[in-house]
Amino acid sequence: MHLSHSSILLKYFYKLSYFFLYMTESTTSQDIASLYRFMAQCMQYPDPEWMNEDFFNVFYNLLGTFGAITEGKEIRDAVEKSSDFIEDLQIEYTRLFINGVPHVVAPPFASVYMDKSIQGSFALRTLNFYREKGFTMEDNADLPDHLVHELEFLSLLAKEEDFAGEEEFLSKLFRPWYKQFCPRVAEETRHPYYRMVVTLIDSFTKEEEEDGFQLNEA
Amino acid sequence: MAFNLTRRKFLQTASLAAATIPLSKVVSAETGVAKASLEPKGTMGDTTVVGGLCEMCFWRCQLVGKVRDGQLMKLEGNPKSIDNGTAICARGNAGVKLLYDVDRLKYPLKNVGKRGEPKWKRISWKEALDECGSKLKAVVDQHGPQGICVFPHGASAKYPMHYFERTVGTHNVSEASFFQCRGIRDAAYVATIGKAPGEMVDMSNTKVIFLVGSHLGENIHVSHIKSYMKGLQGGAKLVVADPRYSASAAKSDIWVQIKPGTDTAYLLAIMNYLVQNNKYNKEFVTKHTSGFDKFSTAISEWTLDKAAKECDIPAAQIKEVAELLAANAPNVAIHPGRHVSWYGNDFQRERSLACLTALLGAYYVKGGWVPPKNPAKLGKTSWAPQEHGDEFNLNVINDKKVYPFKPPGTPTELIRDCAISGKPYAIKGCVVWGQNPMQTIPKQEKMKQVFNAMDFVMCVDVMPTDVTMWADILLPESSYLERHDEIKTGVGKVKATDKEPTQFIAPRMPLVAAMFERKDQVYITNEIAKRMGHEKEIPVQTLEELVDKTLASANITLASVKAEGGIHLQPGFSPYGVPEDFMVQLFNEDVAAAGFPGAPTYKAVEDVPAGYARLLYGRAPVHTFNRSQNNVWLNHEMPGNPVWLNDEVAAKLGLKDGDTVGFINSEGVKSRTTTTVKVTPGIRKDAVYMYHGYGSANPLMTAGVGKGVDDQSLITKIAIDPETGCHGMRNNFVKLTKDGKALDIPA
Ligand code: SF4
């Protein structure tokens, strides 16, 4: 894509402000790391081991911080009204992300969107990015381009304060597929929890298009 | 949703830091991404992994995989192969897409909704196996082992099938490859020459290739097609009987546009002509056949004229075919076919083919039917065979066999009737392994009744095929590219100029590791067996051990074969020369004693009712039944199955090429979906044709669902071959529908 001078300037300006944001006392790179890590957790298969009262309390609290009061309440209602909310969420997770009727809605793998296949070349590029940054996949991990692992990786980068790496990963390997994935889930899910989680991740990784910053579409 | 923050606003949120503090307390300790302990690795180059064995169809071409970082990039024929060589077909290539199909089953699933309208929930293997084990055990405890029925298919289903048949002890096993496909052929040849014929016709060295219904070219199996092409290039004449201008008919020297269902009459007339005119191989008949007199008397009514009338073909053409065969005998390849469960009169047709081969002396000769000599002996490691008596064998009533010449297992209809009626006993547990009975067995409504009658249904598969919607527990299996398994043996030539053949043994080896939580058949079966109280009888602990034990009798191991490039080669023997004791029963006394015609006999099938056309189906070159319908490459190649319609009929109906139509059959069953019309002079007026394996009803198959029409859904009239109990599936009649209106097919 051809960038005009002004957009290059804007981009430069944006980077500075972005850097500045990390440096403010209120939001540290460690906070960013925790947020990514928490979002990764939210996208794991629901299990009472972690998806318990404590988890939801922390989740509602976080939503409150962002002013998502109505959404939080909607989720709380769905959870509290259900006779087995874990099973509800497991069924929904399976339908959305594993195998579902009318069809699997949104497999959480980058290459499904970029290569129309699981384990396409996009998955390999993702894995190579991890490697370049000195990371590797654990033996029992899912595929490298699984949403959970990408968020875990972003968390690790944030922890290391590798902002440039984080931005590059977001723009080249994360956003291009996530922006296709997110609306599919948000529109088709039958549970407010997943609508909120994918929106949260979206917001947290979305560039400031309205500020004039244009995505690097490499 | 009101919530619409951007990243920047997100990070500017004043109290974010406070909100993030408790986050770390509710996340689990492990992550899938971690700091690498070693120096970070760069991209690794491609490696070639040997030992692949294709199973996009049953032919099992030998493969190598180009693998990069554990990811399969491409499949190729194994250069060491003396069978398919470096060639594989379009389906073989597309195995990569099956491996990485988004819709593939990944984790054990439990249906918390209804059978047929599932609501899936991922569960752990432990929970899934506990459920399968306890539910199946409960069925056995309450109803006996016969209370379980099994519908297996494919290489991976053999081990569990043996478990349920031999160890648990149920007779109620129905394999589609037998009862809806080639079982009749095998049974008929066993009753004629004592063995199943395979597709062992020496086409590359023949003078005439004789096909009845086989549409080689649309039906592709690499080394088979190579030998067919080599034969044709060498000048072999091709005779094709088919109501349709198939790919083979298009290459043929004589196209016999036969009326569907009458093939046996055509074969009888050829044989009678050979006998009457002394054009058969007397030496062979004297030395290697029995019952010639009874046989020749029985078929003597089949004059050329009589057959011509019955088959709706010129008498002169039958004569021409008979003369051509006689002139080139014994070097003629009478192809036994493969999918032969057509009309419910198929055992006799297959017997006719075997007898015709004998009259021409075309066994064990160049260009004839030639099995390999002294093939490599492999072990038979599996669950130990046990005797279970015939008390609960549905095929035996008062010590008499219902279908005396059935292939192994129990005829499907006996199982279904028993399961639905509960008589003579209850069948309450169902295991479906790699088969898709919703699309392989006619009369889908009846199959649904079977599932609804069950206390428990489990399915094991790689894809969410139509039948999986009926499972209570659905288990994901590793595919043929991710596991050890099945051993392909055969013969070929290392160099084209070699005098003697070479034998090969190719065990399947994984090209990549299984992803997600897919498991192989030995693991799944053993775990269920443990839970059903059969731990002590488990024959092997792993699939690898099973293959190694099977190879041991050939004095090779998986490791040694791998070192040889994935295929073991050893000297073979010239296959020509009729064994002294080889006998062909032209008249079979056992068949006669069982109350069936001892000589090949033609039985007419029901005629097409006015206003209808006979529904014929066959293979698409890029698909393997319904198994490949969701494969995105193959789907892209042939996304639908246009219905072949005779051009004159089309003109009368006012249909044009490409028009969209649906179907209604003579029993009032409508197709769920529509397809387009292919207007052609290449099909008889009284028949329509479509490729099988389309129009999946399962929305989980995102590429295949609703594409084209599911021919099987229209096959609701069941014909049963009386000798074998196998299905005949081409006695169904359809009208086309346009804009909801049924169109009468003109006579
Ligand atoms: S013929 Fe094609 S699909 Fe069949 S085994 Fe060979 S490569 Fe595979």
Side-chain angles (χ1 to χ4, degrees), chain B residues 201-203 206-211 325 330-335 357 362 367-369:
Chain B
V201 270
D202 189 15
M203 290 188 289
T206 200
K207 293 181 183 159
V208 181
I209 298 171
F210 180 86
L211 304 178
L325 290 172
N331 311 110
V332 293
I334 308 296
H335 200 296
T357 312
W369 180 84

Side-chain angles (χ1 to χ4, degrees), chain A residues 2 11 31 37 57 91 119 123 126 130 142 161 163 169 183:
Chain A
H2 181 76
K11 185 171 174 165
D31 296 329
R37 190 67 185 77
N57 285 335
I91 292 169
Q119 272 286 54
T126 306
Y130 296 171
D142 207 304
E161 303 193 354
F163 314 124
F169 186 79

Side-chain angles (χ1 to χ4, degrees), chain B residues 312-382:
Chain B
D312 196 15
I313 48 177
Q317 193 181 42
I318 308 177
K319 183 175 164 193
E320 187 192 355
V321 172
E323 288 286 356
L324 181 72
L325 290 172
N328 290 285
N331 311 110
V332 293
I334 308 296
H335 200 296
R338 185 165 176 110
H339 173 78
V340 300
S341 48
W342 298 348
Y343 301 106
N345 65 2
D346 307 302
F347 179 79
Q348 296 290 341
R349 182 186 66 251
E350 288 296 312
R351 281 258 299 137
S352 306
L353 286 165
C355 291
L356 174 61
T357 312
L359 291 183
L360 297 162
Y363 284 109
Y364 294 94
V365 291
K366 243 188 170 150
W369 180 84
V370 192
K373 195 165 181 182
N374 304 332
K377 285 268 174 293
L378 293 175
K380 288 200 178 337
T381 308
S382 191

Side-chain angles (χ1 to χ4, degrees), chain B residues 277-288:
Chain B
N277 295 283
N278 274 316
K279 298 213 174 210
Y280 64 99
N281 187 325
K282 289 193 200 64
E283 194 195 329
F284 185 91
V285 166
T286 314
K287 247 180 112 179
H288 293 289

Side-chain angles (χ1 to χ4, degrees), chain B residues 54-61 88-89 91-92 220-222 624:
Chain B
C54 185
E55 198 168 313
M56 288 299 279
C57 82
F58 63 85
W59 203 254
R60 306 197 170 117
C61 295
I88 54 175
C89 77
R91 291 167 300 166
I220 290 175
H221 304 114
V222 173
T624 300

